[in-house]
Amino acid sequence: MSPSANNRLHALDWLPGLEFLDADFGGQPFGRHCHDAFAIGAIHAGVGGYQCRGSRYALPRRTLSLMNPGEVHTGYALSPRLRYRMLYATEDSVAVLLDERHPRGFNDITAEDRDGETARLLANAHAYFEAPHDAGWKLGLETALTELLRHSLTHHAGLRVRAPGHESAAVRVTREWLDALAATPDETTAVSLRELAARVQLHPNYLLQCFTRQIGIPPYAYWQYRRIERAKQLLLAGLSAADTTYRLGFHDQAHFLRSFRRITGVTPGAYRIHRGGKHLNPNISPGRWKTR
């Protein structure tokens, strides 16, 4: 069976050394090759296989593929159709995202994804590549990639990252800046995790962990929540959903609808605004009511 045309390889111009493969194929589209990067993948449909380190491997669903830079391997499907997601990250990109200059390699090239966490993090990162590029897209994607790399390298390569501290001042400044950004009437300026970290002179991964520990959610989720709170204020003030979409930097109205529903549980159209007013007929003065 020939390879499917559904394979997509995503690259980021502001984060060199990172690529994300969304694979959907049959047969053997990959001959012997290697990557100058760590490869972290999860099978989510079908059975995959490859030759590596002198052996053949079969990878069913919920199996991880974990390769180190320079490892020569093939790639093929052992089922009529194979679907998996894979992140490629060079050592330089790991240094940028995790502040780790010489990460240890994976001892095993396959592992069981017992709790499904790696597959979930891969799916979360993939969702951003398929999502509209709105004002918070870079912040969300950088957060997703950082969490994926940190989880994979700590659980499967023995990486030790700096534990989050309190950093109350840095978290407060970051939170206030996100509040202000969400309240800006013409919010079209893109924000990234690295830009947030530079404002408080912390490494992005460390700020992400400190903010999440103190606030309970990462900066991107917090910003999304504050933006929807701002949207509710604009709707309450009489703006239409279309105008609110533009004012808050959403890609389009459908994107605004999905974001609003994800946080509030309802669509903007189901957000019922009950406006106050006098309940008595203004032409009838108090004390002139007649009973029958």
Side-chain angles (χ1 to χ4, degrees):
M1 183 180 295
S2 61
S4 169
N6 291 329
N7 294 353
R8 293 185 295 278
L9 184 63
H10 304 272
L12 305 171
D13 59 359
W14 82 95
L15 284 177
L18 283 170
E19 292 181 340
F20 194 97
L21 175 64
D22 181 27
D24 182 351
F25 63 86
Q28 180 173 343
F30 304 111
R32 290 175 60 81
H33 67 286
C34 65
H35 306 280
D36 294 330
F38 294 99
I40 304 163
I43 308 293
H44 61 93
V47 180
Y50 50 66
Q51 289 180 287
C52 186
R53 300 182 184 179
S55 300
R56 291 178 180 269
Y57 295 87
L59 291 81
R61 185 173 176 269
R62 287 191 174 275
T63 302
L64 302 180
S65 173
L66 306 168
M67 290 192 181
N68 299 315
E71 290 199 294
V72 178
H73 60 284
T74 62
Y76 48 85
L78 290 172
S79 55
R81 185 182 183 188
L82 172 64
R83 299 180 65 189
Y84 68 88
R85 298 186 178 106
M86 181 82 72
L87 173 67
Y88 301 103
T90 64
E91 289 193 30
D92 287 342
S93 67
V94 172
V96 168
L97 291 181
L98 298 185
D99 198 21
E100 177 61 41
R101 295 293 172 184
H102 302 288
R104 295 172 55 185
F106 299 113
N107 290 325
D108 300 317
I109 61 176
T110 64
E112 183 182 356
D113 192 18
R114 295 178 181 177
D115 58 1
E117 182 65 7
T118 304
R120 185 192 71 79
L121 291 171
L122 278 161
N124 186 37
H126 173 258
Y128 286 101
F129 287 109
E130 301 295 323
H133 297 189
D134 72 340
W137 180 77
K138 288 176 67 175
L139 175 59
L141 178 57
E142 286 183 8
T143 298
L145 292 173
T146 299
E147 291 177 338
L148 170 58
L149 270 178
R150 185 175 65 232
H151 174 83
S152 301
L153 292 176
T154 54
H155 282 75
H156 301 289
L159 177 68
R160 293 184 178 182
V161 296
R162 181 183 177 188
H166 294 288
E167 303 292 349
S168 299
V171 171
R172 175 180 54 79
V173 170
T174 302
R175 185 175 183 175
E176 290 175 351
W177 195 78
L178 291 172
D179 287 343
L181 188 64
T184 302
D186 189 14
E187 186 189 341
T188 57
T189 303
V191 60
S192 72
L193 181 61
R194 290 195 296 172
E195 290 166 349
L196 287 180
R199 287 177 173 270
V200 294
Q201 299 182 337
L202 293 177
H203 189 274
N205 178 45
Y206 185 62
L207 173 63
L208 173 60
Q209 293 184 85
C210 293
F211 190 99
T212 303
R213 175 181 177 180
Q214 185 168 324
I215 304 302
I217 54 177
Y220 175 74
Y222 177 80
W223 174 75
Q224 282 283 67
Y225 159 72
R226 295 303 301 165
R227 185 159 64 153
I228 295 304
E229 288 300 302
R230 176 59 177 159
K232 289 161 69 175
Q233 294 175 359
L234 295 176
L235 293 171
L236 186 62
L239 266 69
S240 66
D243 288 340
T244 301
T245 297
Y246 171 76
R247 290 279 292 273
L248 296 184
F250 287 94
H251 181 263
D252 53 31
Q253 197 165 333
H255 181 215
F256 169 53
L257 183 150
R258 290 193 299 270
S259 299
F260 194 96
R261 181 170 53 194
R262 184 171 60 251
I263 291 177
T264 67
V266 299
T267 64
Y271 181 49
R272 304 300 183 186
I273 300 173
H274 300 272
R275 306 195 181 280
K278 295 182 179 180
H279 297 282
L280 297 179
N281 187 328
N283 296 320
I284 300 178
S285 300
R288 295 179 56 192
W289 290 98
K290 295 182 179 180
T291 59
R292 295 184 180 179

